[in-house]
Tab-separated table of all heavy atoms in Angstrom:
chain	number	residue	atom	x	y	z
B	1	GLU	N	81.899	28.478	139.902
B	1	GLU	CA	80.441	28.635	139.757
B	1	GLU	C	79.820	27.472	140.528
B	1	GLU	O	80.483	26.526	140.913
B	1	GLU	CB	80.012	28.690	138.295
B	1	GLU	CG	80.206	27.376	137.578
B	1	GLU	CD	78.993	27.011	136.802
B	1	GLU	OE1	78.098	27.814	136.564
B	1	GLU	OE2	78.868	25.812	136.474
B	2	PRO	N	78.492	27.570	140.748
B	2	PRO	CA	77.814	26.536	141.515
B	2	PRO	C	77.960	25.119	140.811
B	2	PRO	O	78.032	24.992	139.601
B	2	PRO	CB	76.302	26.947	141.439
B	2	PRO	CG	76.403	28.460	141.284
B	2	PRO	CD	77.605	28.679	140.407
B	3	ALA	N	77.994	24.083	141.626
B	3	ALA	CA	78.236	22.773	141.107
B	3	ALA	C	76.990	22.276	140.320
B	3	ALA	O	77.121	21.614	139.317
B	3	ALA	CB	78.541	21.803	142.223
B	4	ARG	N	75.809	22.596	140.779
B	4	ARG	CA	74.612	22.157	140.098
B	4	ARG	C	73.564	23.283	140.150
B	4	ARG	O	73.518	24.027	141.163
B	4	ARG	CB	73.964	20.942	140.794
B	4	ARG	CG	74.840	19.706	140.740
B	4	ARG	CD	74.761	19.077	139.271
B	4	ARG	NE	75.542	17.834	139.277
B	4	ARG	CZ	75.683	17.166	138.198
B	4	ARG	NH1	75.116	17.548	137.047
B	4	ARG	NH2	76.357	16.032	138.153
B	5	GLY	N	72.744	23.374	139.125
B	5	GLY	CA	71.606	24.296	139.138
B	5	GLY	C	72.051	25.707	139.297
B	5	GLY	O	73.120	26.137	138.782
B	6	THR	N	71.220	26.583	139.873
B	6	THR	CA	71.539	27.980	139.978
B	6	THR	C	71.882	28.366	141.444
B	6	THR	O	71.993	29.564	141.781
B	6	THR	CB	70.241	28.811	139.549
B	6	THR	OG1	69.179	28.440	140.374
B	6	THR	CG2	69.986	28.529	138.093
B	7	GLN	N	71.965	27.436	142.300
B	7	GLN	CA	72.331	27.751	143.691
B	7	GLN	C	73.794	27.996	143.814
B	7	GLN	O	74.640	27.664	142.958
B	7	GLN	CB	71.936	26.560	144.639
B	7	GLN	CG	70.450	26.238	144.608
B	7	GLN	CD	69.600	27.416	144.959
B	7	GLN	OE1	69.881	28.064	145.950
B	7	GLN	NE2	68.614	27.688	144.152
B	8	SER	N	74.286	28.593	144.928
B	8	SER	CA	75.611	28.957	145.103
B	8	SER	C	76.530	27.836	145.433
B	8	SER	O	77.723	27.887	145.365
B	8	SER	CB	75.720	30.017	146.236
B	8	SER	OG	75.258	29.533	147.443
B	9	THR	N	75.925	26.670	145.884
B	9	THR	CA	76.734	25.534	146.231
B	9	THR	C	76.050	24.260	145.754
B	9	THR	O	74.863	24.304	145.418
B	9	THR	CB	76.872	25.360	147.779
B	9	THR	OG1	75.596	25.243	148.370
B	9	THR	CG2	77.554	26.554	148.415
B	10	GLY	N	76.789	23.174	145.649
B	10	GLY	CA	76.284	21.893	145.240
B	10	GLY	C	75.690	21.195	146.438
B	10	GLY	O	75.623	21.686	147.564
B	11	GLN	N	75.387	19.897	146.225
B	11	GLN	CA	74.856	19.097	147.334
B	11	GLN	C	75.809	18.998	148.474
B	11	GLN	O	75.435	18.869	149.601
B	11	GLN	CB	74.459	17.771	146.746
B	11	GLN	CG	73.317	17.747	145.787
B	11	GLN	CD	72.931	16.379	145.258
B	11	GLN	OE1	73.646	15.441	145.526
B	11	GLN	NE2	71.865	16.309	144.583
B	12	SER	N	77.066	18.969	148.167
B	12	SER	CA	78.137	18.893	149.229
B	12	SER	C	78.363	20.187	149.941
B	12	SER	O	79.108	20.207	150.897
B	12	SER	CB	79.470	18.400	148.589
B	12	SER	OG	79.950	19.354	147.693
B	13	GLY	N	77.816	21.278	149.415
B	13	GLY	CA	78.045	22.617	150.000
B	13	GLY	C	79.328	23.249	149.550
B	13	GLY	O	79.615	24.324	149.997
B	14	GLU	N	79.977	22.637	148.532
B	14	GLU	CA	81.186	23.165	148.019
B	14	GLU	C	80.976	23.692	146.571
B	14	GLU	O	80.184	23.111	145.838
B	14	GLU	CB	82.279	22.158	148.002
B	14	GLU	CG	82.610	21.628	149.412
B	14	GLU	CD	83.707	20.631	149.410
B	14	GLU	OE1	84.100	20.192	148.219
B	14	GLU	OE2	84.188	20.192	150.474
B	15	ARG	N	81.722	24.740	146.216
B	15	ARG	CA	81.633	25.186	144.821
B	15	ARG	C	82.531	24.452	143.994
B	15	ARG	O	83.634	24.012	144.346
B	15	ARG	CB	82.052	26.651	144.801
B	15	ARG	CG	81.047	27.627	145.481
B	15	ARG	CD	81.541	29.031	145.618
B	15	ARG	NE	81.655	29.674	144.292
B	15	ARG	CZ	80.669	30.299	143.695
B	15	ARG	NH1	79.500	30.406	144.234
B	15	ARG	NH2	80.842	30.862	142.485
B	16	LYS	N	82.126	24.225	142.738
B	16	LYS	CA	82.882	23.382	141.778
B	16	LYS	C	83.770	24.338	140.962
B	16	LYS	O	83.288	25.318	140.396
B	16	LYS	CB	81.957	22.580	140.892
B	16	LYS	CG	82.671	21.836	139.830
B	16	LYS	CD	81.759	20.962	138.994
B	16	LYS	CE	81.299	19.809	139.721
B	16	LYS	NZ	80.612	18.838	138.823
B	17	GLU	N	85.019	23.995	140.857
B	17	GLU	CA	85.983	24.758	140.052
B	17	GLU	C	85.862	24.306	138.570
B	17	GLU	O	85.880	23.137	138.285
B	17	GLU	CB	87.404	24.523	140.531
B	17	GLU	CG	88.361	25.564	140.013
B	17	GLU	CD	88.235	26.899	140.677
B	17	GLU	OE1	87.574	27.014	141.687
B	17	GLU	OE2	88.815	27.891	140.097
B	18	LEU	N	85.672	25.258	137.684
B	18	LEU	CA	85.545	24.952	136.258
B	18	LEU	C	86.758	25.482	135.486
B	18	LEU	O	87.446	26.382	136.006
B	18	LEU	CB	84.279	25.573	135.725
B	18	LEU	CG	82.948	24.997	136.257
B	18	LEU	CD1	81.779	25.715	135.594
B	18	LEU	CD2	82.835	23.483	135.841
B	19	PRO	N	86.904	25.014	134.259
B	19	PRO	CA	88.009	25.576	133.439
B	19	PRO	C	87.775	27.093	133.169
B	19	PRO	O	86.603	27.548	133.198
B	19	PRO	CB	87.859	24.798	132.141
B	19	PRO	CG	87.159	23.559	132.505
B	19	PRO	CD	86.225	23.906	133.593
B	20	ARG	N	88.812	27.796	132.988
B	20	ARG	CA	88.639	29.196	132.602
B	20	ARG	C	88.170	29.296	131.186
B	20	ARG	O	88.359	28.474	130.330
B	20	ARG	CB	89.971	29.974	132.780
B	20	ARG	CG	90.290	30.352	134.254
B	20	ARG	CD	91.606	31.019	134.380
B	20	ARG	NE	91.651	31.495	135.782
B	20	ARG	CZ	91.549	32.784	136.110
B	20	ARG	NH1	91.265	33.691	135.188
B	20	ARG	NH2	91.693	33.146	137.404
B	21	GLY	N	87.482	30.448	130.911
B	21	GLY	CA	87.025	30.690	129.532
B	21	GLY	C	85.579	30.224	129.382
B	21	GLY	O	84.845	29.979	130.328
B	22	CYS	N	85.231	30.139	128.142
B	22	CYS	CA	83.841	29.829	127.718
B	22	CYS	C	83.870	28.803	126.589
B	22	CYS	O	84.628	28.976	125.626
B	22	CYS	CB	83.111	31.117	127.234
B	22	CYS	SG	81.570	30.888	126.410
B	23	LEU	N	83.151	27.685	126.769
B	23	LEU	CA	83.172	26.700	125.733
B	23	LEU	C	82.670	27.207	124.401
B	23	LEU	O	83.281	26.880	123.327
B	23	LEU	CB	82.332	25.488	126.134
B	23	LEU	CG	82.210	24.313	125.152
B	23	LEU	CD1	83.589	23.617	125.086
B	23	LEU	CD2	81.122	23.296	125.573
B	24	MET	N	81.599	28.028	124.372
B	24	MET	CA	81.124	28.526	123.111
B	24	MET	C	82.100	29.439	122.426
B	24	MET	O	82.272	29.388	121.183
B	24	MET	CB	79.784	29.223	123.310
B	24	MET	CG	78.678	28.339	123.779
B	24	MET	SD	78.380	26.923	122.643
B	24	MET	CE	77.736	27.771	121.271
B	25	THR	N	82.795	30.312	123.189
B	25	THR	CA	83.783	31.219	122.618
B	25	THR	C	84.995	30.379	122.109
B	25	THR	O	85.494	30.610	121.045
B	25	THR	CB	84.220	32.248	123.641
B	25	THR	OG1	83.149	33.031	124.044
B	25	THR	CG2	85.344	33.173	123.057
B	26	ASN	N	85.363	29.365	122.911
B	26	ASN	CA	86.458	28.515	122.508
B	26	ASN	C	86.124	27.749	121.149
B	26	ASN	O	86.999	27.343	120.394
B	26	ASN	CB	86.796	27.437	123.530
B	26	ASN	CG	87.379	28.100	124.780
B	26	ASN	OD1	87.779	29.236	124.756
B	26	ASN	ND2	87.459	27.270	125.836
B	27	SER	N	84.803	27.696	120.864
B	27	SER	CA	84.388	26.922	119.671
B	27	SER	C	84.479	27.823	118.410
B	27	SER	O	84.232	27.301	117.291
B	27	SER	CB	82.932	26.434	119.869
B	27	SER	OG	82.920	25.535	120.940
């Protein structure tokens, strides 16, 4: 998903890889 905000890329122009799943569901 985007690194920051709602844009498709972060300031570096690269997408940030996040853990799989959902923190709220994991909770």
